[in-house]
Structure formats: C-alpha cells, structure tokens
Coordinates of all heavy atoms in Angstrom, one line a residue:
M1 N -11.6 -5.0 -1.0 CA -11.5 -5.0 0.5 C -12.0 -3.6 1.0 O -11.7 -2.6 0.4 CB -10.1 -5.2 1.0 CG -9.5 -6.6 0.6 SD -7.8 -6.8 1.1 CE -7.0 -5.7 0.0
E2 N -12.7 -3.6 2.1 CA -13.1 -2.4 2.7 C -12.9 -2.4 4.2 O -13.2 -3.3 4.9 CB -14.6 -2.2 2.4 CG -15.1 -0.8 2.9 CD -16.6 -0.6 2.4 OE1 -16.9 -0.8 1.3 OE2 -17.3 -0.1 3.3
S3 N -12.3 -1.3 4.6 CA -11.9 -1.2 6.1 C -13.1 -0.6 6.8 O -14.1 -0.2 6.2 CB -10.8 -0.2 6.2 OG -11.2 1.1 6.1
G4 N -13.0 -0.6 8.1 CA -14.1 -0.1 9.0 C -14.3 1.4 8.8 O -15.3 2.0 9.1
E5 N -13.2 2.1 8.2 CA -13.3 3.5 7.9 C -13.8 3.8 6.5 O -13.7 4.9 6.0 CB -11.9 4.1 8.1 CG -11.4 4.2 9.5 CD -10.8 2.8 10.0 OE1 -10.4 2.0 9.1 OE2 -10.8 2.6 11.2
K6 N -14.2 2.7 5.9 CA -14.8 2.8 4.5 C -13.7 3.1 3.4 O -14.0 3.5 2.3 CB -15.9 3.9 4.4 CG -17.0 3.6 5.4 CD -17.7 2.3 5.1 CE -18.9 2.1 6.1 NZ -19.2 0.7 6.4
E7 N -12.5 2.8 3.7 CA -11.4 2.9 2.7 C -11.4 1.6 1.9 O -11.6 0.5 2.5 CB -10.0 3.1 3.4 CG -9.9 4.4 4.1 CD -8.6 4.5 4.7 OE1 -8.0 3.5 5.2 OE2 -8.1 5.7 4.7
R8 N -11.2 1.7 0.6 CA -11.3 0.5 -0.3 C -10.0 0.3 -1.0 O -9.4 1.2 -1.5 CB -12.4 0.7 -1.3 CG -13.8 0.8 -0.7 CD -14.9 1.0 -1.8 NE -14.9 -0.2 -2.7 CZ -15.7 -1.2 -2.6 NH1 -16.5 -1.3 -1.6 NH2 -15.6 -2.2 -3.5
V9 N -9.7 -1.0 -1.1 CA -8.6 -1.5 -1.9 C -9.2 -2.6 -2.8 O -9.6 -3.6 -2.3 CB -7.4 -2.0 -1.1 CG1 -6.3 -2.6 -2.0 CG2 -6.8 -0.9 -0.2
E10 N -9.2 -2.3 -4.1 CA -9.8 -3.3 -5.0 C -8.9 -4.5 -5.3 O -7.7 -4.3 -5.4 CB -10.2 -2.6 -6.3 CG -11.2 -1.5 -6.2 CD -12.6 -1.9 -5.8 OE1 -13.0 -3.0 -6.1 OE2 -13.2 -1.1 -5.1
F11 N -9.5 -5.7 -5.3 CA -8.7 -6.8 -5.8 C -8.3 -6.7 -7.2 O -9.0 -6.0 -8.0 CB -9.6 -8.1 -5.6 CG -9.7 -8.7 -4.2 CD1 -10.6 -9.7 -4.0 CD2 -9.0 -8.2 -3.2 CE1 -10.7 -10.3 -2.7 CE2 -9.1 -8.7 -1.9 CZ -10.0 -9.7 -1.7
L12 N -7.2 -7.2 -7.6 CA -6.7 -7.1 -9.0 C -7.4 -8.2 -9.8 O -7.6 -8.0 -11.0 CB -5.2 -7.3 -9.1 CG -4.4 -6.4 -8.2 CD1 -2.9 -6.7 -8.3 CD2 -4.7 -4.9 -8.6
L13 N -7.8 -9.3 -9.2 CA -8.5 -10.4 -9.9 C -9.8 -10.7 -9.2 O -9.9 -10.5 -8.0 CB -7.6 -11.7 -9.9 CG -6.3 -11.5 -10.6 CD1 -5.4 -12.8 -10.3 CD2 -6.4 -11.3 -12.1
T14 N -10.7 -11.3 -9.9 CA -12.0 -11.8 -9.3 C -11.7 -13.2 -8.8 O -11.2 -14.1 -9.5 CB -13.1 -11.8 -10.3 OG1 -13.3 -10.5 -10.7 CG2 -14.4 -12.3 -9.7
I15 N -12.1 -13.5 -7.6 CA -12.0 -14.8 -7.0 C -13.3 -15.5 -6.9 O -14.3 -14.9 -6.3 CB -11.3 -14.8 -5.6 CG1 -10.0 -14.0 -5.6 CG2 -11.1 -16.2 -5.0 CD1 -8.9 -14.6 -6.5
K16 N -13.5 -16.7 -7.3 CA -14.7 -17.4 -7.2 C -14.7 -18.3 -6.0 O -13.8 -19.1 -5.9 CB -15.0 -18.2 -8.5 CG -15.1 -17.3 -9.7 CD -16.0 -17.9 -10.7 CE -15.9 -17.0 -12.0 NZ -17.1 -16.4 -12.3
A17 N -15.7 -18.2 -5.2 CA -15.8 -19.0 -4.0 C -16.5 -20.3 -4.3 O -17.7 -20.5 -4.0 CB -16.5 -18.2 -2.8
K18 N -15.8 -21.2 -4.9 CA -16.4 -22.5 -5.2 C -15.3 -23.6 -5.2 O -14.2 -23.3 -5.3 CB -17.1 -22.5 -6.5 CG -16.3 -22.5 -7.8 CD -17.1 -22.4 -9.0 CE -16.5 -23.3 -10.1 NZ -17.2 -23.3 -11.3
G19 N -15.8 -24.8 -4.9 CA -14.8 -25.9 -4.7 C -14.3 -26.0 -3.3 O -14.9 -25.6 -2.4
N20 N -13.1 -26.5 -3.3 CA -12.4 -26.7 -2.0 C -12.1 -25.4 -1.3 O -11.5 -24.5 -1.8 CB -11.1 -27.4 -2.3 CG -10.3 -27.9 -1.0 OD1 -10.7 -27.4 0.1 ND2 -9.4 -28.7 -1.2
V21 N -12.7 -25.3 -0.1 CA -12.7 -24.0 0.7 C -11.2 -23.6 0.9 O -10.9 -22.4 0.9 CB -13.5 -24.1 2.0 CG1 -12.8 -25.0 3.0 CG2 -13.6 -22.7 2.6
E22 N -10.3 -24.5 1.2 CA -8.9 -24.2 1.5 C -8.3 -23.5 0.3 O -7.5 -22.6 0.4 CB -8.1 -25.4 1.9 CG -8.5 -25.9 3.3 CD -9.6 -26.9 3.3 OE1 -10.2 -27.2 2.2 OE2 -10.0 -27.3 4.4
K23 N -8.6 -24.0 -0.9 CA -8.1 -23.5 -2.1 C -8.5 -22.1 -2.4 O -7.7 -21.2 -2.7 CB -8.4 -24.4 -3.3 CG -7.8 -24.0 -4.6 CD -8.1 -24.9 -5.7 CE -7.5 -24.6 -7.0 NZ -8.0 -23.4 -7.7
W24 N -9.8 -21.8 -2.4 CA -10.3 -20.5 -2.8 C -10.0 -19.5 -1.6 O -9.8 -18.3 -1.9 CB -11.7 -20.4 -3.2 CG -12.8 -20.8 -2.3 CD1 -13.5 -22.0 -2.2 CD2 -13.4 -20.0 -1.3 NE1 -14.4 -21.9 -1.2 CE2 -14.4 -20.7 -0.6 CE3 -13.2 -18.6 -0.9 CZ2 -15.2 -20.2 0.4 CZ3 -14.0 -18.1 0.2 CH2 -14.9 -18.9 0.8
L25 N -10.0 -19.9 -0.4 CA -9.6 -19.0 0.7 C -8.1 -18.6 0.6 O -7.8 -17.4 0.8 CB -9.9 -19.7 2.0 CG -10.2 -18.8 3.2 CD1 -11.3 -17.8 2.8 CD2 -10.6 -19.6 4.4
F26 N -7.3 -19.5 0.2 CA -5.9 -19.2 -0.1 C -5.8 -18.2 -1.3 O -5.0 -17.3 -1.2 CB -5.1 -20.5 -0.4 CG -3.6 -20.2 -0.8 CD1 -2.7 -19.9 0.2 CD2 -3.2 -20.1 -2.2 CE1 -1.4 -19.6 -0.2 CE2 -1.9 -19.8 -2.5 CZ -1.0 -19.6 -1.5
E27 N -6.6 -18.4 -2.3 CA -6.6 -17.4 -3.4 C -7.1 -16.0 -3.0 O -6.6 -15.0 -3.5 CB -7.5 -18.0 -4.5 CG -7.0 -19.2 -5.2 CD -7.9 -19.8 -6.2 OE1 -9.1 -19.3 -6.3 OE2 -7.6 -20.8 -6.9
V28 N -8.0 -16.0 -2.1 CA -8.5 -14.7 -1.5 C -7.3 -14.0 -0.8 O -7.1 -12.8 -0.9 CB -9.7 -14.9 -0.6 CG1 -10.0 -13.6 0.2 CG2 -10.9 -15.3 -1.4
Q29 N -6.7 -14.8 0.1 CA -5.5 -14.3 0.8 C -4.4 -13.7 -0.1 O -3.9 -12.6 0.1 CB -4.9 -15.4 1.7 CG -3.8 -14.9 2.5 CD -3.2 -16.0 3.4 OE1 -3.6 -17.1 3.4 NE2 -2.2 -15.6 4.3
Q30 N -4.1 -14.5 -1.2 CA -3.1 -14.1 -2.1 C -3.6 -12.8 -2.9 O -2.8 -11.9 -3.1 CB -2.8 -15.2 -3.1 CG -1.5 -14.9 -3.9 CD -0.3 -14.7 -3.1 OE1 0.0 -15.6 -2.2 NE2 0.4 -13.7 -3.3
A31 N -4.8 -12.8 -3.2 CA -5.4 -11.6 -3.9 C -5.3 -10.3 -3.0 O -5.0 -9.2 -3.5 CB -6.8 -11.8 -4.3
M32 N -5.5 -10.5 -1.7 CA -5.4 -9.4 -0.8 C -4.0 -8.9 -0.7 O -3.7 -7.7 -0.8 CB -5.8 -9.8 0.6 CG -7.3 -10.1 0.7 SD -7.8 -10.9 2.3 CE -7.6 -9.6 3.4
I33 N -3.0 -9.8 -0.6 CA -1.6 -9.5 -0.6 C -1.2 -8.7 -1.9 O -0.5 -7.7 -1.8 CB -0.7 -10.7 -0.4 CG1 -1.0 -11.3 1.0 CG2 0.8 -10.4 -0.6 CD1 -0.4 -12.7 1.3
D34 N -1.6 -9.3 -3.0 CA -1.3 -8.7 -4.3 C -1.8 -7.3 -4.4 O -1.2 -6.3 -4.9 CB -1.8 -9.5 -5.5 CG -1.0 -10.9 -5.6 OD1 0.1 -11.0 -5.0 OD2 -1.5 -11.8 -6.3
A35 N -3.1 -7.1 -4.0 CA -3.7 -5.8 -4.0 C -3.0 -4.8 -3.1 O -2.8 -3.6 -3.5 CB -5.2 -5.9 -3.6
L36 N -2.6 -5.2 -2.0 CA -1.9 -4.3 -1.1 C -0.5 -3.9 -1.6 O 0.0 -2.8 -1.4 CB -1.8 -4.9 0.4 CG -3.1 -4.8 1.1 CD1 -3.0 -5.6 2.4 CD2 -3.6 -3.4 1.3
I37 N 0.2 -4.9 -2.2 CA 1.5 -4.7 -2.8 C 1.4 -3.6 -3.9 O 2.2 -2.6 -3.9 CB 2.2 -5.9 -3.3 CG1 2.6 -6.8 -2.2 CG2 3.3 -5.6 -4.2 CD1 3.1 -8.2 -2.6
K38 N 0.4 -3.7 -4.7 CA 0.2 -2.8 -5.8 C -0.2 -1.4 -5.2 O 0.4 -0.4 -5.6 CB -0.9 -3.2 -6.7 CG -1.1 -2.2 -7.9 CD -2.2 -2.7 -8.8 CE -2.4 -1.7 -10.0 NZ -2.3 -0.3 -9.7
A39 N -1.0 -1.4 -4.2 CA -1.4 -0.1 -3.5 C -0.2 0.6 -2.9 O 0.0 1.8 -3.0 CB -2.5 -0.3 -2.5
M40 N 0.7 -0.2 -2.3 CA 2.0 0.4 -1.7 C 2.9 0.9 -2.8 O 3.5 2.0 -2.6 CB 2.7 -0.7 -0.9 CG 2.0 -1.1 0.3 SD 2.0 0.1 1.6 CE 1.1 -0.7 2.9
K41 N 3.0 0.2 -3.9 CA 3.9 0.6 -5.0 C 3.3 1.9 -5.6 O 4.1 2.9 -5.8 CB 4.0 -0.4 -6.1 CG 4.9 -1.6 -5.7 CD 5.0 -2.6 -6.8 CE 5.9 -3.7 -6.4 NZ 6.0 -4.8 -7.4
D42 N 2.0 2.0 -5.8 CA 1.4 3.2 -6.3 C 1.6 4.4 -5.4 O 1.9 5.5 -5.8 CB -0.1 3.0 -6.6 CG -0.4 2.0 -7.7 OD1 0.6 1.7 -8.5 OD2 -1.5 1.5 -7.8
G43 N 1.4 4.1 -4.1 CA 1.6 5.2 -3.1 C 3.0 5.7 -3.1 O 3.3 6.9 -3.0
K44 N 4.0 4.8 -3.1 CA 5.4 5.2 -3.1 C 5.7 5.9 -4.4 O 6.5 6.9 -4.4 CB 6.3 4.0 -3.0 CG 7.8 4.3 -2.8 CD 8.6 3.1 -2.6 CE 10.1 3.5 -2.4 NZ 10.7 4.1 -3.5
D45 N 5.2 5.5 -5.5 CA 5.5 6.2 -6.8 C 5.0 7.6 -6.8 O 5.6 8.5 -7.4 CB 4.9 5.4 -8.0 CG 5.6 4.1 -8.2 OD1 6.8 3.9 -7.7 OD2 5.0 3.2 -9.0
E46 N 3.8 7.8 -6.2 CA 3.2 9.1 -6.2 C 3.7 10.0 -5.0 O 3.3 11.2 -5.0 CB 1.7 9.0 -6.2 CG 1.1 8.4 -7.4 CD -0.4 8.2 -7.4 OE1 -1.0 8.5 -6.4 OE2 -0.9 7.7 -8.4
Y47 N 4.4 9.4 -4.1 CA 4.8 10.2 -2.9 C 5.5 11.5 -3.2 O 5.2 12.5 -2.6 CB 5.7 9.3 -2.0 CG 6.2 9.9 -0.7 CD1 5.3 10.0 0.4 CD2 7.4 10.5 -0.6 CE1 5.7 10.6 1.6 CE2 7.8 11.1 0.6 CZ 7.0 11.1 1.7 OH 7.4 11.7 2.8
E48 N 6.5 11.5 -4.1 CA 7.2 12.7 -4.4 C 6.7 13.5 -5.5 O 7.2 14.6 -5.8 CB 8.7 12.3 -4.6 CG 9.3 11.8 -3.4 CD 10.8 11.4 -3.6 OE1 11.3 11.4 -4.7 OE2 11.4 11.0 -2.6
T49 N 5.7 13.0 -6.2 CA 5.2 13.7 -7.4 C 3.9 14.5 -7.1 O 3.6 15.4 -7.8 CB 4.9 12.7 -8.6 OG1 3.9 11.8 -8.2 CG2 6.2 12.0 -9.0
K50 N 3.1 14.1 -6.1 CA 1.9 14.8 -5.8 C 2.1 15.6 -4.5 O 2.8 15.3 -3.6 CB 0.8 13.8 -5.6 CG 0.4 13.0 -6.8 CD -1.0 12.5 -6.6 CE -1.5 11.6 -7.8 NZ -1.6 12.4 -9.0
P51 N 1.3 16.7 -4.4 CA 1.4 17.5 -3.1 C 0.9 16.6 -2.0 O 0.0 15.8 -2.2 CB 0.4 18.6 -3.4 CG 0.3 18.7 -4.9 CD 0.5 17.3 -5.4
R52 N 1.5 16.7 -0.8 CA 1.2 15.8 0.3 C -0.2 15.8 0.7 O -0.8 14.8 0.9 CB 2.1 16.1 1.5 CG 2.0 15.1 2.6 CD 3.0 15.3 3.7 NE 2.9 14.4 4.7 CZ 3.6 13.2 4.8 NH1 4.3 12.9 3.8 NH2 3.4 12.4 5.8
K53 N -0.9 17.0 0.7 CA -2.3 17.1 1.1 C -3.2 16.3 0.1 O -4.2 15.7 0.5 CB -2.7 18.5 1.2 CG -2.7 19.3 -0.1 CD -3.2 20.7 0.1 CE -3.2 21.4 -1.2 NZ -3.9 22.7 -1.2
D54 N -2.8 16.2 -1.2 CA -3.6 15.4 -2.1 C -3.2 14.0 -2.0 O -4.1 13.1 -2.0 CB -3.3 15.9 -3.6 CG -3.7 17.3 -3.8 OD1 -4.7 17.8 -3.1 OD2 -3.1 18.0 -4.7
W55 N -1.9 13.7 -1.8 CA -1.4 12.3 -1.8 C -2.1 11.5 -0.6 O -2.5 10.4 -0.7 CB 0.1 12.3 -1.6 CG 0.7 10.9 -1.5 CD1 0.9 10.0 -2.5 CD2 1.1 10.3 -0.2 NE1 1.5 8.9 -1.9 CE2 1.7 9.1 -0.6 CE3 1.2 10.8 1.1 CZ2 2.2 8.2 0.4 CZ3 1.7 9.9 2.0 CH2 2.2 8.6 1.7
V56 N -2.2 12.2 0.6 CA -2.8 11.6 1.8 C -4.2 11.2 1.5 O -4.7 10.2 2.0 CB -2.6 12.6 3.0 CG1 -3.5 12.1 4.1 CG2 -1.2 12.7 3.4
L57 N -5.0 12.0 0.8 CA -6.4 11.8 0.6 C -6.7 10.7 -0.5 O -7.7 10.1 -0.5 CB -7.1 13.1 0.2 CG -7.1 14.1 1.3 CD1 -7.7 15.4 0.8 CD2 -7.8 13.7 2.6
I58 N -5.7 10.5 -1.4 CA -5.9 9.6 -2.5 C -5.7 8.2 -2.1 O -6.4 7.3 -2.6 CB -4.9 9.9 -3.7 CG1 -5.2 11.2 -4.3 CG2 -4.8 8.8 -4.7 CD1 -4.1 11.7 -5.3
H59 N -4.8 7.9 -1.2 CA -4.5 6.5 -0.8 C -5.1 6.1 0.6 O -5.3 7.0 1.4 CB -2.9 6.4 -0.7 CG -2.3 6.7 -2.1 ND1 -2.3 5.8 -3.1 CD2 -1.7 7.8 -2.5 CE1 -1.7 6.3 -4.1 NE2 -1.3 7.5 -3.8
P60 N -5.3 4.8 0.7 CA -5.8 4.3 2.0 C -4.8 4.6 3.2 O -3.6 4.7 2.9 CB -5.9 2.8 1.8 CG -5.9 2.6 0.3 CD -5.1 3.8 -0.2
G61 N -5.3 4.8 4.4 CA -4.5 5.1 5.5 C -3.3 4.1 5.8 O -2.2 4.6 6.1
Q62 N -3.5 2.8 5.5 CA -2.4 1.9 5.7 C -1.3 2.2 4.8 O -0.1 2.1 5.1 CB -3.0 0.5 5.5 CG -1.9 -0.6 5.6 CD -2.5 -2.0 5.5 OE1 -3.6 -2.2 5.1 NE2 -1.7 -3.0 5.7
V63 N -1.6 2.6 3.5 CA -0.6 2.9 2.5 C 0.1 4.2 2.9 O 1.3 4.3 2.9 CB -1.2 3.0 1.1 CG1 -0.2 3.5 0.1 CG2 -1.8 1.6 0.7
V64 N -0.7 5.2 3.3 CA -0.1 6.5 3.7 C 0.9 6.3 4.9 O 2.0 6.8 4.8 CB -1.2 7.5 4.0 CG1 -0.6 8.7 4.7 CG2 -2.0 7.8 2.8
T65 N 0.4 5.6 5.9 CA 1.3 5.4 7.1 C 2.6 4.7 6.7 O 3.7 5.1 7.1 CB 0.5 4.7 8.2 OG1 -0.6 5.4 8.5 CG2 1.4 4.5 9.4
T66 N 2.4 3.6 6.0 CA 3.6 2.7 5.7 C 4.6 3.4 4.8 O 5.8 3.5 5.0 CB 3.1 1.4 5.0 OG1 2.2 0.7 5.9 CG2 4.3 0.5 4.7
V67 N 4.1 4.1 3.7 CA 5.0 4.7 2.7 C 5.6 5.9 3.4 O 6.8 6.2 3.2 CB 4.2 5.1 1.5 CG1 5.1 6.0 0.6 CG2 3.8 3.9 0.7
A68 N 4.9 6.7 4.2 CA 5.5 7.9 4.9 C 6.6 7.4 5.8 O 7.6 8.1 5.8 CB 4.4 8.6 5.6
L69 N 6.4 6.3 6.5 CA 7.4 5.9 7.4 C 8.7 5.3 6.7 O 9.8 5.5 7.1 CB 6.9 4.8 8.4 CG 6.0 5.3 9.4 CD1 5.3 4.2 10.2 CD2 6.7 6.3 10.4
I70 N 8.4 4.6 5.5 CA 9.5 4.1 4.7 C 10.3 5.3 4.2 O 11.6 5.3 4.3 CB 9.0 3.3 3.5 CG1 8.5 2.0 4.0 CG2 10.1 3.1 2.5 CD1 7.7 1.2 3.0
M71 N 9.7 6.3 3.7 CA 10.4 7.5 3.2 C 11.1 8.3 4.3 O 12.2 8.8 4.1 CB 9.4 8.4 2.4 CG 8.8 7.7 1.2 SD 9.9 6.9 0.1 CE 10.7 8.3 -0.7
W72 N 10.5 8.4 5.5 CA 11.1 9.1 6.6 C 12.4 8.3 7.0 O 13.4 9.0 7.2 CB 10.2 9.1 7.8 CG 10.8 9.8 9.0 CD1 10.8 11.2 9.2 CD2 11.5 9.2 10.0 NE1 11.5 11.4 10.4 CE2 11.9 10.2 10.9 CE3 11.7 7.9 10.4 CZ2 12.6 10.0 12.1 CZ3 12.4 7.6 11.6 CH2 12.8 8.7 12.4
C73 N 12.3 7.0 7.1 CA 13.5 6.2 7.4 C 14.6 6.4 6.4 O 15.8 6.5 6.7 CB 13.2 4.7 7.6 SG 12.2 4.4 9.1
S74 N 14.2 6.3 5.1 CA 15.2 6.5 4.0 C 15.9 7.8 4.0 O 17.1 7.9 3.9 CB 14.4 6.3 2.7 OG 15.3 6.4 1.6
D75 N 15.1 8.9 4.2 CA 15.6 10.2 4.3 C 16.5 10.4 5.5 O 17.6 11.0 5.5 CB 14.5 11.3 4.3 CG 13.8 11.4 3.0 OD1 14.3 10.9 2.0 OD2 12.7 12.0 3.0
T76 N 16.1 9.8 6.6 CA 16.9 9.9 7.9 C 18.3 9.2 7.7 O 19.3 9.7 8.1 CB 16.1 9.3 9.1 OG1 14.9 10.1 9.2 CG2 16.9 9.4 10.3
E77 N 18.2 8.0 7.1 CA 19.5 7.3 6.9 C 20.4 8.0 6.0 O 21.6 8.1 6.2 CB 19.2 5.9 6.4 CG 18.6 4.9 7.4 CD 18.2 3.6 6.8 OE1 18.4 3.4 5.6 OE2 17.7 2.8 7.6
A78 N 19.8 8.6 4.9 CA 20.7 9.4 4.0 C 21.3 10.6 4.6 O 22.4 10.9 4.4 CB 19.8 9.8 2.8
S79 N 20.5 11.2 5.5 CA 21.0 12.4 6.2 C 22.1 12.0 7.2 O 23.1 12.7 7.3 CB 19.9 13.1 7.0 OG 20.3 14.2 7.6
I80 N 22.0 10.9 7.9 CA 23.0 10.4 8.8 C 24.3 10.1 8.1 O 25.4 10.4 8.5 CB 22.5 9.2 9.6 CG1 21.4 9.7 10.6 CG2 23.7 8.5 10.3 CD1 20.7 8.5 11.3
R81 N 24.1 9.5 6.9 CA 25.3 9.2 6.1 C 25.9 10.5 5.4 O 27.0 10.4 4.8 CB 25.0 8.2 5.0 CG 24.7 6.8 5.5 CD 24.6 5.8 4.4 NE 23.6 6.1 3.4 CZ 22.3 5.6 3.5 NH1 22.0 4.8 4.5 NH2 21.4 6.0 2.6
G82 N 25.2 11.6 5.5 CA 25.7 12.9 5.0 C 25.4 13.0 3.5 O 26.0 13.9 2.8
E83 N 24.5 12.2 3.0 CA 24.2 12.2 1.5 C 23.3 13.4 1.2 O 23.3 13.8 0.0 CB 23.6 10.9 1.1 CG 24.5 9.7 1.2 CD 23.9 8.4 1.0 OE1 22.7 8.4 0.6 OE2 24.6 7.4 1.2
T84 N 22.4 13.8 2.1 CA 21.5 14.9 1.8 C 21.3 15.7 3.0 O 21.8 15.4 4.1 CB 20.1 14.3 1.4 OG1 19.5 13.6 2.5 CG2 20.2 13.4 0.2
N85 N 20.6 16.8 2.8 CA 20.2 17.7 4.0 C 18.8 17.5 4.2 O 18.0 18.5 4.4 CB 20.6 19.1 3.6 CG 22.1 19.4 3.6 OD1 22.8 18.7 4.3 ND2 22.5 20.3 2.7
S86 N 18.3 16.3 4.2 CA 16.9 16.0 4.4 C 16.3 16.5 5.7 O 15.1 16.9 5.8 CB 16.6 14.5 4.2 OG 17.0 14.1 3.0
L87 N 17.1 16.4 6.8 CA 16.6 16.8 8.0 C 16.8 18.3 8.2 O 16.4 19.1 8.7 CB 17.2 16.0 9.2 CG 17.0 14.5 9.2 CD1 17.8 13.9 10.3 CD2 15.6 14.2 9.3

C-alpha cells in the first residue's frame, strides 16, 4: 500500500486478483488490515528502544501518530494512578 505522501506498508501476502471479485477484494481488505496490525506492533515494539527522531522516520505517519497517542495515554493513566512520574 502507498499513501499520497509516498509512505509504504507492504502486504504480508500476495493477493491474486482472479475469480469472484467479492472474494479477492475481501482478501485485499484482510491483507491491508494484517499489514497495518503488524506495522503497529513493530512501531510499538520499537517505541522505547529507538531514539524518537529515528523512530519517527522509520515508520509510516499513521503508525507514528497512533502509537505515540497510545503511549501518551498509557503514561498519563499510569501517572494519574501514581504509578510513575511520567508527566
């Protein structure tokens, strides 16, 4: 998949566009979901291990935005509960 900003997320499997259009289009949709799930997991796994300036450039914008917000919410909730001094 390629965004308008030329960011790419590769499919994990090759989908053949043949046969019943509803079937292969569903397979394309599922392949897109699977690829984004993997990209999000990879982004989350690397969030705390790579310097932020490198991490932001390695991953697609959608992944960066989503993972950064997930981690911000997680840190904020932990801080409110008094578990960390994240804020």
Side-chain angles (χ1 to χ4, degrees):
M1 297 178 288
E2 186 172 314
S3 74
E5 292 79 24
K6 304 299 181 208
E7 294 178 325
R8 294 180 61 95
V9 175
E10 298 292 330
F11 283 172
L12 304 177
L13 300 170
T14 301
I15 306 297
K16 300 213 184 242
K18 71 181 217 182
N20 187 345
V21 68
E22 290 85 2
K23 182 177 185 287
W24 65 260
L25 210 48
F26 176 78
E27 291 172 357
V28 169
Q29 181 181 5
Q30 193 59 50
M32 291 170 71
I33 292 168
D34 293 343
L36 287 174
I37 288 171
K38 183 181 181 318
M40 292 290 180
K41 285 181 180 178
D42 291 347
K44 186 176 181 301
D45 290 345
E46 293 179 358
Y47 180 81
E48 293 180 357
T49 60
K50 292 202 183 296
R52 188 170 180 92
K53 64 180 183 168
D54 297 334
W55 177 80
V56 167
L57 297 174
I58 292 170
H59 300 283
Q62 181 178 6
V63 172
V64 169
T65 302
T66 303
V67 171
L69 288 174
I70 289 169
M71 299 308 290
W72 180 84
C73 288
S74 178
D75 290 345
T76 301
E77 289 175 0
S79 183
I80 289 170
R81 287 191 300 269
E83 296 172 5
T84 64
N85 292 326
S86 299
L87 300 177

